[in-house]
C-alpha cells in the first residue's frame, strides 16, 4: 500500500541525512570542487533541520499534551547517560561492522583542533539527529512493523516483534553493531514504556551530546 503523508514526513528528513552522509563519504579530501567534505555535515543543520521544520506541524508526538513529566524526563536522561557509558566501551573489533562510511576528524592541517567544525558536528549530533532518527526509527518504523497504519498504533502496544525488528535495522545503520543494539533497544523501550517520543528523543540527545563532549575531551575521533 502507498505510504501516507505522515510516513513521508518521517522518512524524508532521514533520507536526506543518509544522502548527505553518503556524499560526505564519497567525496575525496582532495577534489575538483576544493570542498572540505567535513563541512558537508553543516548541510544537515540546513537541509535536514529545514525538512523537520517544514513537517513539524505533522508531528503530533511533539504536541504540548505529549510532553514528558519531570519523572519521565529524568528517566530519559538516565537512560541516555547509561547508553553513553556502554557505547564507549562496546568498541572491541568483533563489535564492529566494517569501517565508518564518513570519518570525521575535526583537526586542521597543522594539527590544531578546528572548533567551528566541532560546533557544527556537535549541534547536528545533539539536536538534529535525535529528532530525525527517533521520528524515523521509533515513531515510523517500529509502529509500521506493528501495522502499516502506523499512526493508529499506540507505542505502548507496539509489541516485542516491532521492538526487535526495528532495533535490528537500526543496528545495520551503525558501525558499532552491539552498541547500536543497546541504544536502539533502550530508546525503543522508553518509547513503549512512556508512550511519548519526547522521552526517546531526550535520551538520544543526552547520549549524543555527552558523547560529543567526551570525544573532544579524549580525542577519540573514531567515535564520531
Amino acid at each position: 500500500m502507498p505510504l501516507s503523508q505522515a510516513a513521508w514526513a518521517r522518512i524524508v528528513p532521514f533520507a536526506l541525512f543518509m544522502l548527505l552522509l553518503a556524499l560526505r563519504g564519497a567525496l575525496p579530501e582532495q577534489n575538483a570542487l576544493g570542498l572540505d567534505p567535513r563541512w558537508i555535515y553543516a548541510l544537515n543543520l540546513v537541509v535536514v533541520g529545514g525538512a523537520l521544520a517544514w513537517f513539524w506541524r505533522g508531528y503530533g508526538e511533539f504536541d504540548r499534551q505529549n510532553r514528558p513529566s519531570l519523572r519521565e524526563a529524568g528517566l530519559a536522561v538516565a537512560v541516555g547517560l547509561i547508553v553513553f557509558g556502554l557505547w564507549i566501551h562496546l568498541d572491541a573489533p568483533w563489535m564492529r561492522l566494517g569501517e565508518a562510511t564518513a570519518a570525521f576528524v575535526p583537526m586542521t592541517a597543522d594539527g590544531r583542533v578546528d572548533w567551528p567544525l566541532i560546533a557544527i558536528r556537535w549541534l547536528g549530533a545533539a539536536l538534529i539527529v535525535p529528532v530525525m532518527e527517533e521520528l524515523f526509527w521509533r515513531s515510523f518504523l517500529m509502529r509500521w512493523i506493528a501495522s502499516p497504519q502506523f499512526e493508529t498504533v499506540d507505542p505502548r502496544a507496539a509489541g516485542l516483534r516491532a521492538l526487535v525488528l526495528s532495533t535490528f535495522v537500526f543496528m545495520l545503520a551503525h558501525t558499532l553493531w552491539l552498541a547500536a543494539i543497546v541504544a536502539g533497544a533502550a530508546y525503543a523501550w522508553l518509547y513503549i514504556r512512556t508512550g511519548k517520543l519526547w522521552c526517546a528523543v531526550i535520551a538520544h540527545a543526552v547520549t549524543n551530546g555527552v558523547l560529543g563532549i567526551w570525544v573532544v575531551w579524549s580525542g577519540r575521533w573514531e567515535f564520531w
Side-chain angles (χ1 to χ4, degrees), residues 15-16 31 40 43 45 51 60 64 66-67 82-83 89 107 110 116 126 158 172 194 199 206 210 213 221 223:
L16 291 171
N31 54 80
I40 292 177
L43 291 177
L45 301 181
R64 178 175 297 181
N66 292 321
R67 293 175 183 172
I82 291 170
V83 171
H89 289 98
M107 304 289 288
D110 58 0
L172 296 178
T194 65
C199 291
V206 168
V210 176
I213 294 170
W221 308 116
F223 280 91

Side-chain angles (χ1 to χ4, degrees), residues 57-154:
R57 290 188 177 181
Y59 301 141
E61 298 97 324
F62 297 143
D63 288 345
R64 178 175 297 181
Q65 66 268 23
N66 292 321
R67 293 175 183 172
S69 66
L70 187 60
R71 183 175 181 179
E72 290 168 335
L75 175 63
V77 170
V79 169
L81 290 172
I82 291 170
V83 171
F84 157 72
L86 293 173
W87 188 282
I88 63 175
H89 289 98
L90 298 176
D91 65 333
W94 65 271
M95 300 175 185
R96 293 179 175 270
L97 286 174
E99 297 297 329
T101 303
F104 193 94
V105 180
M107 304 289 288
T108 62
D110 58 0
R112 291 181 293 108
V113 174
D114 193 325
W115 289 106
L117 272 176
I118 285 175
I120 290 296
R121 183 69 170 85
W122 190 87
L123 287 171
L127 300 181
I128 300 297
V129 168
V131 176
M132 173 269 298
E133 286 205 345
E134 293 309 314
L135 280 167
F136 177 78
W137 295 114
R138 257 59 71 177
S139 175
F140 168 65
L141 185 62
M142 189 178 80
R143 292 194 297 165
W144 182 83
I145 291 171
S147 170
Q149 288 80 36
F150 77 97
E151 294 171 275
T152 67
V153 176
D154 185 328

Side-chain angles (χ1 to χ4, degrees), residues 41-53:
Y41 199 91
L43 291 177
N44 288 317
L45 301 181
V46 178
V47 176
V48 179
L52 290 172

